[in-house]
Amino acid sequence: MDLKNYLSKKKTVIDRALQSHFPEPVGLLSDIIKALQYSLFAGGKRLRPVLCMAGAEAVGGNGADVVPVACALELIHTFSLIHDDLPVMDDDDTRRGKPSNHRVFGEGLALLAGDGLMIDAFALITTAGLSPRISPENVLEVTGLIARAAGYQGMVGGQAVDIQSEGKTVGLSTVEFIHTRKTGALIAASVISGAILGNGDETQIMAVTSYGKKTGLAFQISDDILDIEGNSSMLGKKAGADRQKKKITYPSVVGLNKSKKIQADLVESAIESLEVFDNKADPLRHIARYIIDRKN
Amino acid sequence: MDLKNYLSKKKTVIDRALQSHFPEPVGLLSDIIKALQYSLFAGGKRLRPVLCMAGAEAVGGNGADVVPVACALELIHTFSLIHDDLPVMDDDDTRRGKPSNHRVFGEGLALLAGDGLMIDAFALITTAGLSPRISPENVLEVTGLIARAAGYQGMVGGQAVDIQSEGKTVGLSTVEFIHTRKTGALIAASVISGAILGNGDETQIMAVTSYGKKTGLAFQISDDILDIEGNSSMLGKKAGADRQKKKITYPSVVGLNKSKKIQADLVESAIESLEVFDNKADPLRHIARYIIDRKN
């Protein structure tokens, strides 16, 4: 299959849905709407939405049915980027090659734009229940799953431990703890949500759960590696920033070579998890491999 | 009826449910759990949870059934207080007579504690569907309603316009715009959610919607008035702060006397909205009056 074409088609669907979701930025709310749209349309890869749609298709469901949830996952991801970039957090001036949200709109509005995206994600998720092929029970299950993945025991908790660990000497278990939460949890939730909404059976849900967790962790390890081997213009953010900030990363804990070995093993193991599926899971298989090859 | 006794009983139920909701703060996540618990158990009145339970009871439902959603509303309210107090927002050092969250835990962790509470609210809401008397469709409807009330078109949007308006000269329509969103929307959503989950009919939902919107706006006007007439030790935060920060308030726009008149009219009108109900709505009636009499 042609992964590039697949990703591009899905991205178009997601971008259109996201564009039509927000009202025109007019009136007193215009600034906050502009602020949240600025980061949402700054050129994201839409990896989480694509994984959600691919998860639904792998179990025989319809990717189009899960678009509201797929979009909600992108809102949550974008919220996390805006807050992570704030001066009190990672203090990053650029994101995706553009000034970060607070550099354009100020810290107060950036904080609120993040909050607004986060909350709106849950308004959006509920609209998935409008599709006749999706049961309200499944939408509720997915809402809880995504909230737990994003919350203080997931992404937000991972970020908390991440900022608290800067400059400390930690072992492999701590960096694994951070990475599985701050990045892995939402990526895993993306593909699992799709499979649940696509009415996957228990075996299928277990398979994509294993796939999602391994792929999510591998994705963050590749972020760590790109920070060392990538270049700033390709990344759209400053390379080498992790080292400068004394961030806990796989390379800083186990070295670059062992990080690559762990990442490659995770990707192979993620693909093995999918053996219960036929070729409808090929996009998921290719996306796992793409994680190792990506340049941004 | 004895409102004080009613509020106290409901508060006990909510406090117990909130206490049992969180895991012990141990391990790597202990700091963020401590940070979010710090603000959640800092002595809030639990007004929004009580309104949710009272809304369910007014339509003949069971208050105990809606406790997960009632608790979620308190999580959302607490999130908004933590973020509002941050230096990039209202920059408040005290809240409910204690140092504000970021003064104890630092700005980074306070930001994340707010995020964590917000997101966890939506995990908690979904557990309401476990009650056999509550339909998943109604839980989804309430999830969307609360998200819209809290998000960029509601509470978060109101806060955005609020910080952008500081020091400006505005008219009554702008302060009404801000107040109905930054405080009114979540208070209204609290009582409406209760009525929906309690299986209220269309007439009943319309009645509590009118009640909730008027009560919510009246509540914020009484906050404005207390900032002028209250004293810091009763309020648990610095009185006179609005004037110092050149906040847009009802008294700053229409004067103190007219603010009191508007507030009293709103409360009377809110109570009139409830005429379709029997004495099961008495707690809602008394809560509306309490808004004018409260001292903190």
Side-chain angles (χ1 to χ4, degrees), chain A residues 161-170 178 241-249 252-253:
Chain A
V161 181
D162 188 29
I163 59 167
Q164 292 182 307
S165 303
E166 280 175 19
K168 289 187 187 161
T169 303
V170 304
I178 294 170
D242 289 343
R243 191 166 195 165
Q244 201 185 327
K245 288 175 195 157
K246 299 182 180 170
K247 282 270 181 200
I248 305 294
T249 66
S252 78
V253 175

Side-chain angles (χ1 to χ4, degrees), chain A residues 157 160-161 164-165 170 173-175 177-178, chain B residues 26-32:
Chain A
V161 181
Q164 292 182 307
S165 303
V170 304
S173 66
T174 299
V175 66
F177 183 98
I178 294 170
Chain B
V26 289
L28 290 168
L29 295 175
S30 62
D31 285 348
I32 185 158

Side-chain angles (χ1 to χ4, degrees), chain B residues 55 58-60 141 191-192 195-196 198-212 270-278 281 284-285:
Chain B
V59 302
E141 185 181 347
V191 62
I192 302 167
I196 291 172
N199 295 308
D201 64 31
E202 212 173 311
T203 310
Q204 290 173 320
I205 305 296
M206 274 178 64
V208 296
T209 300
S210 169
Y211 166 88
I271 293 168
E272 274 169 30
S273 312
L274 300 177
E275 62 190 5
V276 299
F277 293 103
D278 60 16
L284 291 179
R285 295 185 181 99

Side-chain angles (χ1 to χ4, degrees), chain A residues 212-235:
Chain A
K213 287 181 176 175
K214 286 165 185 166
T215 307
L217 179 55
F219 188 86
Q220 181 56 43
I221 298 175
S222 85
D223 248 17
D224 293 352
I225 294 170
L226 281 170
D227 187 72
I228 296 170
E229 297 191 334
N231 71 65
S232 304
S233 69
M234 289 285 279
L235 291 175

Side-chain angles (χ1 to χ4, degrees), chain B residues 7-8 10-12 14-15 40 42-51 74 77 81 95-96 219 222-223 226 234-235 237 290-291 294-296:
Chain B
L7 293 176
S8 162
K10 293 290 190 248
K11 186 177 182 304
T12 305
I14 294 299
D15 283 344
L40 196 56
K45 295 180 290 290
R46 315 304 190 201
L47 176 68
R48 290 152 192 81
V50 173
L51 280 170
E74 190 68 13
H77 173 56
L81 300 181
R95 169 71 68 178
R96 292 169 175 160
F219 188 86
S222 85
D223 248 18
L226 282 169
M234 289 285 279
L235 292 176
K237 61 185 178 184
Y290 153 82
I291 284 171
R294 73 197 179 95
K295 298 282 174 268
N296 64 38

Side-chain angles (χ1 to χ4, degrees), chain A residues 191-209:
Chain A
V191 61
I192 302 167
S193 302
I196 291 172
L197 295 172
N199 296 308
D201 64 30
E202 212 175 309
T203 309
Q204 291 174 319
I205 305 295
M206 275 178 63
V208 296
T209 300

